[in-house]
Every structure is written in C-alpha cells, then in structure tokens.
Amino acid sequence: MIYFDNASTSFPKPECVYKAINGCMTQYGANPGRSWHMMARQINQKLFETRQSIARLFSIDDPYRVVFSFNATEAIKIIYGGLLQTGDHVVVTSMEHKAMLRPLQEMERSGVSYTTVKCTRTGELDIDELRDAIKRNTKLIGMTGISNVTGTVMPIKEVGRICREKGIQFMVDASQAAGVLDIDVQAMNIDLLVASGHKSLYGMQGTGVLYVSPQAKIRPYVGRVPEEEINSWLFYERYEIGTLNAPGLVGLKAGVDFILSETPEKIRMHEQILTRRLIEGLQGIERIVLYGPLSEKKQVGILSLNIKEKTPQEVAELLDKRYKIGVRPGLHCATYAHETIGTGDMGSVRFSMGYFNTIEEVDLAIFALRNIAKS
Amino acid sequence: MIYFDNASTSFPKPECVYKAINGCMTQYGANPGRSWHMMARQINQKLFETRQSIARLFSIDDPYRVVFSFNATEAIKIIYGGLLQTGDHVVVTSMEHKAMLRPLQEMERSGVSYTTVKCTRTGELDIDELRDAIKRNTKLIGMTGISNVTGTVMPIKEVGRICREKGIQFMVDASQAAGVLDIDVQAMNIDLLVASGHKSLYGMQGTGVLYVSPQAKIRPYVGRVPEEEINSWLFYERYEIGTLNAPGLVGLKAGVDFILSETPEKIRMHEQILTRRLIEGLQGIERIVLYGPLSEKKQVGILSLNIKEKTPQEVAELLDKRYKIGVRPGLHCATYAHETIGTGDMGSVRFSMGYFNTIEEVDLAIFALRNIAKS
C-alpha cells in the first residue's frame, strides 16, 4: 500500500524505532519509577535519555521539564486543567484540532471563556485579528504549528513575540510540526509545547510529550498532594499518572534521534519537494479543487483536496481499492478548520506525506487522481 | 536476572505478545478510528478483536462496553470523574492502591466524601465493617481484587452481592487479579471493572482496560459533546481520548488469548505453588518477618516481608547486587495498606511472582534471604 496518512500517524517508522521498542520489551521491560533492581534502573535511565533527546530537539534547557503523556490530547488536557481558572480567557485559531477546542467547550461550564480567531480560506492567520482577540483576562494563546487539514505553517514566532510582550502564556500544539519545523522554545517564546509521539516524531502510538517552561505554572495532574510532598518530587512526576508506556518512550528516543541525525531541515525539504510536486501535478486538472496556500513555503507535508461531484469518502475508497493508496477522507477532527476553508459540509480528501514517501508515489497519486476526476 | 517484580509489570511477556506488537507496527501501524484505507480497517478490526478477547475473559456480554485506557490509573479517573457528584459518598478499603485513593482526596474539594474500611493486619476485609461504612448517600464501593502489597484475595463476590442488594455501584480494580482470579462481571455483580494491561494480562505498558456495565451511568470522558451527537457514537468512543496505543492493544489481545488458552485456573495454581513454597521456605527463619494471610488459598502471587534491623531498601540492594534478584522495596504506592499491616514507616520488600517464574527461582530467593538474614 502507498501510505499517505502520515498526519494520522507516521508509517513506517525508522527501523531503529521498532528495534528499540522490541529491545526494551524483551530485555529490560521493567516498570519505570517503581522499583530499584537492575532492570528498573535501566529503564529509568533510558526514559531520562528520551527526555534529553526531546529537550535537544526543541532547545529545552532542562530535560526534567519534559513530561510524558499518552498522546497530545491528554497533554492539552493537563495544561488546560492545570492552568485555567474561572474568569480566564483563551485565544485559539480556527485551524485547531478538536483536542484543543473540545476541552475549552467543556470548561465554559466552569467559567472559562475563549475566542476562536478565524483564519483565511487558505488557513493562514491574520496577526492583527489575533491581537484584536486578546482581552484583559486572556491567560493563554493556543495554536497549532502546522494545520492538520491544510498543512499551513502558522506564525509561531510572531505569536510568541506578542505573548511575551503582553505577558500571556503561549501554548503550541506541535503534533504536526515537531521534527519538521525547527522549533526552539526559547527563541519562539513557547511556554507550553505539546506533541504527539507517533506522528512526525516517529515514535509509537500511545506516546505524547509536554514541555512546561519555568514561566508556566500549572497545577499537578496527579491529584491532591501536600505541597511539601510534591516539592520533593521530580518536576515531571507531577504530571505523569500511572505506569508510562515505557517501551514506546524508548522507541520515541530512537525516533527523535533519527530526526536529530537527519536534521529537521532535511526532513522538511523532502516533504516540501513532495508537497510541491503533488500541488503542481494536480493544479489545472478539471474538477479537482485544492485547499491551502498552495505554496511549499507556506504549507508542509499535507494537501487537502476534493473532486467535484464526488464525496471525499468516494474518492478515498477509489484510491484504496483501485490504486492501493491510503488517504484520510472527512473532517479530520477539526470542524472549524473545514468551515474556514469552505469544506464544512463533507470535509476533504487529505494527502499527508512523510519522510519515507517518494516522488514516484506522489506521481502515482497524481495519475490516480487524474483518472478518478475523469471518471 | 531473576525477576520477582511482576506486580509492577509482568516480565517476560509471552512470545506471542512481542510478535503481535511488532507485526502491528511493521505491517499495519495505522491510526485506529481515523481513516478508512486498508491498513486503517485492519487495525480497527484488530482492536475490536482485543475487545472481544477481554469480554470473553471477564464474561462481558457486549464487547462495545470494553473501553481502552492507557493504564488503570486513568481508567479509575474516568470512572470517578464521570460518576461522582457533590454529595456522593464512596467506600473503599485500606488495601487500595493510591490510584484509587488519590482522586478521592482530590474530589473532597468538590464535595465528594469517602470512607476507608480498615482491613486486618493480614490485609483481609471484614464484611461487617464494610456494611457499617455504607451510608444513605453511598454511590460506589471500590475495591481491589488482590492487594498489591500482601497478595490478599479480596471477597469480590460477597461485596458484589451487598452492592446489588443495596443498589450501590461496584467497581473492582483487577490490576493484580485479572487473568489470575476467575472474574465474571455478571456472577460477581461488577458494574465497573478496571485493569492494567501490562501486569497479569501480559500486555505492554501503556495499556489499560475499563468495563462499563449497562447499569453504570458515567459521563463521557471526551468533554462536552451534544447529546444527539454522542448518542450516535460507539459506546467506547465516549471514554477514549486521542490516539490509542494501538500496537500495544494488539499485543494485549495476544496476552489475553494466552491466558484464555492456558486458563486462569492453571495460572493461579502455578502462582499458588510458588507462593506456598516461598512462604514455607521463609517461615521460621530468624529475623525474617512475613506479612499477609500466609496461606496460598488467601494470597496469590505476592509476598511482602522484612528482615529485622535492615531497611527494605538494603535488602533489595543486597538481593540485586549479590544474587541478581529483582524485587520492589518500599511503600508500593499504597500507604494505607502499609499502615494496615504495620509497615507504615518503611514499607516492605515485595516478591511478586508470575507465570514464568519457577520453583528453582523461588528456592534461590529463599537461599538468598536466609543468607541476608544471617549477615
């Protein structure tokens, strides 16, 4: 199968990831943070090394501030639950994943309010509109790094500057951007960084990452623990509940190390080449409608499209059955993003490319889409 | 290394578990529940088969009511958060893991109260004391199946009967008991069942299970979703947030199928033989203090002990360094259980045996402990 669903989860992973997970499970699969014996010490050490690799990738000073979660959705829940209180206001963009929006809808019940800044039809953010959305009680601005619907690269650095200037916490959902964009939490003034482990970081499903900067004060996720007790804990222990996905996190280190060795620049360049080729190959084909900025400088790895008179589901089924091409049809967990780009009714067919996709695969996709559009 | 830390996480796993996880990751590692292509359909189908195997193990009628979590701690959080409201009262025992107790301490802030029924010094529950703890507003009784400190088997069936009689919801934390005791949610009147995937179910870390019976009404965990929308969802979707640990859950099916094929009876019998041999081999050795019922009928797989004039940490270090035996020293995440059995100050050295431990390993442990006690 030709896999163009990397924004759901990357596939395949680098070989070193499979090997690391299997090695952990078969050789030192103890429970981290619980016991003291040789295997337990070994897994503790390995997980700390994962924190170190992640810290390196995002220019984080202190690896103890790298917290593990089970996915980005949980990490966002930890932030909202630990940071927001009655009376607080949050600004998000209309390109966010539901993982960013749904907890805010829930928290409206407890007196938290939020504003969704509508992006342009290509999924781009107007910085002035964002500025206008800021209120006296705005505590947090939350934004994705790359839209999971259009691949639009969001202006992290600019928004980070505004946040620092106004004394607002800045949270970035890097689930699509981690390992592809060059994210530097210090240079970009990111207070809270969230990422899936299993997408562009090449780890396994069931892993997520949360960075909490010294400026961000979020309450512990583990529940009510006396202050003197919690002060004696390691920083990350305040936010990690129950047994971690330890083998998965060992695999995540392998994934992040793979990125560090290839470099995010090289990965991004490859994805840009594929994106440009797909865009250029599809532009001008009758009945095919493309979404997003349609420029590989403003859009990485993802292209949403539709074929007139066909539902996204029909197109995806034809791609799957006739051409063995796997894509994702529908609303992609981001209803507002689809409203923004004008596909609120049925969604789109999303091609999401990864580092292991090739030019030949993209050309086959173009060939297949041309045929489907004609039929 | 001789691994006696199976109550933290089982090690090794059956070979079929490693194979299943690796097969999933390398062959059909798509994101479940998101896309539609061949690989996505395959992983969806596999995860449903995991639900079916778990349903079979616990005599659950409807596999759609088997919810996946990332660990038992999260599953308990889902139950408390979705079930309890201001004014509700909960009864738990003093042998519970902190995963059961800590969220209740947190919820005291929002007007939920609870009573902890103190067990005997051997970790056994006095049913009359439990009855006395029930109040007019008791909504839930929560209890472990097997104590993670003493291995004491708790009277699930009896407590289930009381719950049904009084119209109280019954939650069982089967993290130590699943796959070892014969758990039948219907015969035992269990409304809510929680289990780790990575302990006695032989799955990988980062997997947990939650069964919600038709009698148990718990609010969705995914946040605020309009009722008409959520009614169109599959039952388990209401409680699963973000991307699941899909390869881990495929491995969990292999682990549960291994149990179904070996049978919980055979597994329990093996662990009983080891437990009895360890107890008998240590009884009467000067300076060794054993905790729990000290009968393999009342205690499965776990033995806590101390050596006079040595801290649990010292004993564990000697076992690790001199004999390459891995155990867990300390408080085992269950402070009240230690207070109950009289080890509240320093905890104990815990031996926890699994299906892959042998009589020879137990004999070596006895030999090692005898030497350490003498030294």
Side-chain angles (χ1 to χ4, degrees), chain B residues 23-238:
Chain B
C24 172
M25 290 205 71
T26 54
Q27 291 159 40
Y28 55 97
N31 196 329
R34 299 292 184 281
S35 302
W36 184 86
H37 50 75
M38 197 185 66
M39 271 168 57
R41 293 199 304 277
Q42 199 172 351
I43 186 70
N44 285 342
Q45 172 62 26
K46 287 284 179 184
L47 292 201
F48 191 68
E49 288 171 12
T50 305
R51 296 184 209 271
Q52 288 177 307
S53 287
I54 290 166
R56 208 175 130 211
L57 181 63
F58 299 126
S59 304
I60 292 165
D61 267 346
D62 178 0
Y64 287 95
R65 291 190 161 267
V66 174
V67 176
F68 296 136
S69 65
F70 291 102
N71 52 36
T73 303
E74 190 204 21
I76 293 166
K77 222 175 151 89
I78 295 170
I79 293 175
Y80 285 156
L83 181 71
L84 301 176
Q85 283 175 309
T86 308
D88 287 339
H89 177 253
V90 180
V91 174
V92 290
T93 84
S94 68
M95 298 309 286
E96 303 312 318
H97 191 276
K98 68 178 180 191
M100 288 277 268
L101 299 175
R102 206 174 253 165
L104 290 176
Q105 288 158 2
E106 173 84 12
M107 291 185 94
E108 280 188 311
R109 284 184 181 154
S110 40
V112 170
S113 62
Y114 69 100
T115 303
T116 308
V117 180
K118 195 164 180 182
C119 293
T120 68
R121 276 185 78 95
T122 56
E124 287 164 283
L125 178 71
D126 181 330
I127 292 281
D128 290 330
E129 292 208 14
L130 180 101
R131 275 190 189 274
D132 290 347
I134 295 172
K135 296 185 181 178
R136 202 183 33 77
N137 59 337
T138 302
K139 193 174 204 167
L140 178 74
I141 295 181
M143 194 172 76
T144 185
I146 291 180
S147 157
N148 75 315
V149 174
T150 56
T152 309
V153 177
M154 306 300 273
I156 304 179
K157 203 162 185 174
E158 291 82 340
V159 176
R161 210 175 294 128
I162 294 171
C163 286
R164 189 56 74 247
E165 176 193 313
K166 303 255 184 195
I168 295 167
Q169 305 271 315
F170 185 34
M171 160 165 75
V172 172
D173 170 10
S175 293
Q176 300 297 340
V180 180
L181 302 188
D182 193 12
I183 293 178
D184 179 325
V185 295
Q186 298 181 62
M188 290 170 155
N189 289 310
I190 297 170
D191 299 301
L192 297 150
L193 185 77
V194 161
S196 299
H198 65 97
K199 294 179 177 175
S200 48
L201 292 179
Y202 299 112
M204 91 181 278
Q205 291 164 23
T207 60
V209 168
L210 163 60
Y211 161 67
V212 182
S213 77
Q215 296 84 39
K217 304 278 177 251
I218 61 174
R219 291 182 294 278
Y221 188 58
V222 293
R224 192 172 181 173
V225 182
E227 199 153 339
E228 57 279 28
E229 191 187 331
I230 211 147
N231 287 340
S232 73
W233 293 12
L234 297 173
F235 182 81
Y236 54 75
E237 289 175 336
R238 302 170 194 185

Side-chain angles (χ1 to χ4, degrees), chain A residues 249-273:
Chain A
L249 292 165
V250 171
L252 181 57
K253 173 178 163 31
V256 172
D257 287 349
F258 173 83
I259 294 165
L260 287 165
S261 127
E262 297 290 304
T263 77
E265 291 66 31
K266 193 174 155 200
I267 291 170
R268 181 176 176 172
M269 198 178 298
H270 180 71
E271 294 191 9
Q272 280 180 325
I273 291 169

Side-chain angles (χ1 to χ4, degrees), chain A residues 356-375:
Chain A
F356 297 111
N357 283 120
T358 62
I359 288 279
E360 290 73 21
E361 290 176 336
V362 170
D363 287 349
L364 195 72
I366 295 164
F367 171 81
L369 286 166
R370 189 189 300 272
N371 282 351
I372 294 171
K374 264 196 289 195
S375 68

